[in-house]
Amino acid sequence: MALYVHKYGGSSVADAAKIVNVARRLADVYDAGHQIVTVVSAMGDTTDELIDLARTVSNEPDPRELDLLLSTGELVSITLLSMALRNLGYDAISLSGPQAGIRTDSAYGRARISEVDPERVRRELAEGRLVIVAGFQGLAPDEDITTLGRGGSDTTAVALAAALQADRCDIYTDVAGIYTADPRVVGKAAKLAAVGYEEMLELAAAGAKMHPRSIELGAVYNVPIYVASSFTDAPGTLIHNASDDEPMEDRIKVTGIAYQTNVAKVTVCGVADQPGVAAALFEPLASAGISVDTIVQNTSADRMTTDISFTVAAADLPRALREMAGLQATLGAGQVISDHTLASVSVVGSGMQNTPGYASRMFRILADGGINIDMITTSEIRISCIISQDKAHEAVRLLHEGFALDEAG
Ligand code: ASP
Ligand code: MG
């Protein structure tokens, strides 16, 4: 007997027929002799609709009230799923996040799980019940309801799986798994049978989109996460500790190609080449909540001044430029130049660690495609190039082919 946590996203429980479909899938797992805890999201676009509804009565809905309102979406789906299971003759029980022991901090709209007390869920399982838990919600220390941030049900599911020491956490969605590249961009993208947690975080845009915090939790508590479609029985992707059981040679391969559009670059020219300048530049951005990705500082030829370039999300560019304008006078910096028409493309793979040649191969592929590289950054498992946005899709396709990831046939 195994203990599984399943999670079904909004599109998998969007209407009555789909809820009954999920109920049947759960019944099969139960009939095979397993224990099962199921986390569900709100039906279809319910959460969006509730947010719109709140805005019809208030321009800036009170965060506490908004979280309590949003939590109702998941209460609808858990109760309906439990009723559908009971209708099929199974003993099911639905539990809200607080009833299931999900405790959070008090940050409305983006609460973090502080603890899961699995006692009630364990008791229900011991009674032989199928337990259905509301995703995306929890209880703050002051006993108010919080939500975990959009898409947070994945994180509820992995947190529960960790607390219950479940054998696996299955995330069922409308995409069949994680691919070697975004399947909408690369027709020959291949579904990955397995991927490491860190690679998964880097590949976030390739296929099923998951709440990043769920992957981080999975990595910390070593919860194997299986991502698959709720509509087919096609095999999905296992996100796990890749080094565990991967054939040795597979670990030296590139896993996939990731990309991100709407990247903006800011260059501050002629800043003094002396201690404290970078801190003075980036501290205001951090306090303004603007996250900076790539940073390049050139060594100055004359040892007097240097140029610093960095990238931000294009949506943050106006605010970043405002911060820079405020600093220009104090830092004695020269011109500030910006470009908001950029993208980043990345080659991802844990096998790249300590293996030379990946970067040069990437640059060669882009060069042969006539694609100019603006900036370059690397991490242990990723090499990223900033390029022109209108070349992004072409670059992804060329790299996918160049690193021999195109699906055969
Ligand atoms: N219903 C919430 C949302 O739409 C949580 C989730 O789907 O995971 O963001
Ligand atoms: Mg949703």
Side-chain angles (χ1 to χ4, degrees):
M1 182 175 73
L3 166 57
Y4 296 118
V5 172
H6 278 204
K7 181 260 173 176
Y8 293 87
S11 55
S12 300
V13 292
D15 57 39
K18 287 178 176 146
I19 288 174
V20 172
N21 167 55
V22 170
R24 291 220 174 85
R25 295 173 63 101
L26 297 176
D28 287 345
V29 178
Y30 185 86
D31 287 344
H34 302 301
Q35 290 186 317
I36 180 159
V37 175
T38 306
V39 173
V40 280
S41 300
M43 294 171 69
D45 297 328
T46 301
T47 307
D48 291 315
E49 287 158 17
L50 289 171
I51 291 170
D52 290 346
L53 189 59
R55 294 221 171 101
T56 60
V57 294
S58 166
N59 294 330
E60 233 177 288
D62 178 78
R64 179 201 178 271
E65 302 303 328
L66 185 61
D67 270 13
L68 190 51
L69 175 68
L70 295 188
S71 73
T72 64
E74 272 71 11
L75 298 183
V76 172
S77 50
I78 56 166
T79 45
L80 292 179
L81 180 55
S82 180
M83 288 175 201
L85 273 161
R86 290 181 157 271
N87 188 52
L88 295 175
Y90 291 83
D91 190 5
I93 182 167
S94 64
L95 299 174
S96 69
Q99 287 175 309
I102 312 288
R103 310 273 176 258
T104 71
D105 61 21
S106 305
Y108 297 115
R110 53 185 165 83
R112 296 181 71 89
I113 297 178
S114 48
E115 189 194 354
V116 178
D117 173 3
E119 206 268 323
R120 174 75 188 270
V121 174
R122 282 226 176 92
R123 213 171 347 123
E124 300 298 345
L125 289 172
E127 296 285 326
R129 300 203 167 100
L130 289 110
V131 182
I132 318 292
V133 176
F136 174 61
Q137 57 181 257
L139 196 67
D142 58 7
E143 309 233 299
D144 274 340
I145 306 276
T146 52
T147 66
L148 308 181
R150 297 307 305 272
S153 301
D154 294 337
T155 296
T156 305
V158 176
L160 263 172
L164 293 163
Q165 293 175 305
D167 292 277
R168 209 176 61 205
C169 182
D170 290 5
I171 307 279
Y172 291 103
T173 171
D174 51 2
V175 187
I178 312 303
Y179 290 79
T180 49
D182 186 339
R184 288 164 304 184
V185 173
V186 182
K188 289 179 175 167
K191 201 193 301 164
L192 293 162
V195 64
Y197 297 107
E198 279 142 35
E199 293 169 312
M200 175 62 205
L201 283 168
E202 301 283 4
L203 285 173
K209 296 209 185 357
M210 287 183 59
H211 205 226
R213 280 157 53 193
S214 67
I215 315 284
E216 287 163 5
L217 264 187
V220 170
Y221 291 95
N222 212 353
V223 180
I225 304 171
Y226 179 72
V227 185
S229 164
S230 65
F231 302 119
T232 69
D233 289 320
T237 302
L238 184 67
I239 308 168
H240 68 155
N241 211 332
S243 48
D244 284 353
D245 48 26
E246 225 177 354
M248 217 173 186
E249 292 285 322
D250 284 0
R251 291 174 54 197
I252 7 183
K253 282 196 317 213
V254 163
T255 306
I257 310 297
Y259 79 103
Q260 208 181 338
T261 51
N262 299 318
V263 172
K265 180 178 76 164
V266 179
T267 302
V268 186
C269 306
V271 294
D273 189 9
Q274 63 192 36
V277 169
L281 269 184
F282 293 108
E283 276 162 1
L285 292 172
S287 351
I290 299 171
S291 75
V292 173
D293 199 9
T294 308
I295 300 173
V296 174
Q297 175 183 316
N298 293 319
T299 34
S300 54
D302 55 5
R303 301 249 159 193
M304 301 291 284
T305 63
T306 181
D307 300 340
I308 295 183
S309 296
F310 57 90
T311 61
V312 295
D316 286 336
L317 180 62
R319 288 198 303 137
L321 289 177
R322 233 174 292 138
E323 295 296 335
M324 290 304 108
L327 287 173
Q328 239 170 324
T330 40
L331 286 177
Q335 257 186 313
V336 176
I337 328 171
S338 68
D339 183 348
H340 65 276
T341 59
L342 301 171
S344 78
V345 285
S346 306
V347 173
V348 176
S350 57
M352 299 194 303
Q353 287 179 55
N354 311 317
T355 314
Y358 284 98
S360 58
R361 194 159 152 201
M362 178 180 194
F363 306 153
R364 171 53 56 202
I365 292 165
L366 293 176
D368 289 348
I371 295 169
N372 187 46
I373 301 170
D374 206 322
M375 294 162 97
I376 300 164
T377 50
T378 62
S379 79
E380 280 196 344
I381 63 159
R382 172 176 60 82
I383 308 163
S384 302
C385 293
I386 303 292
I387 60 171
S388 167
Q389 177 152 282
D390 53 20
K391 301 273 189 194
H393 287 185
E394 195 188 334
V396 172
R397 281 189 288 266
L398 288 172
L399 291 167
H400 198 267
E401 193 192 341
F403 280 97
L405 293 169
D406 279 3
E407 198 167 37

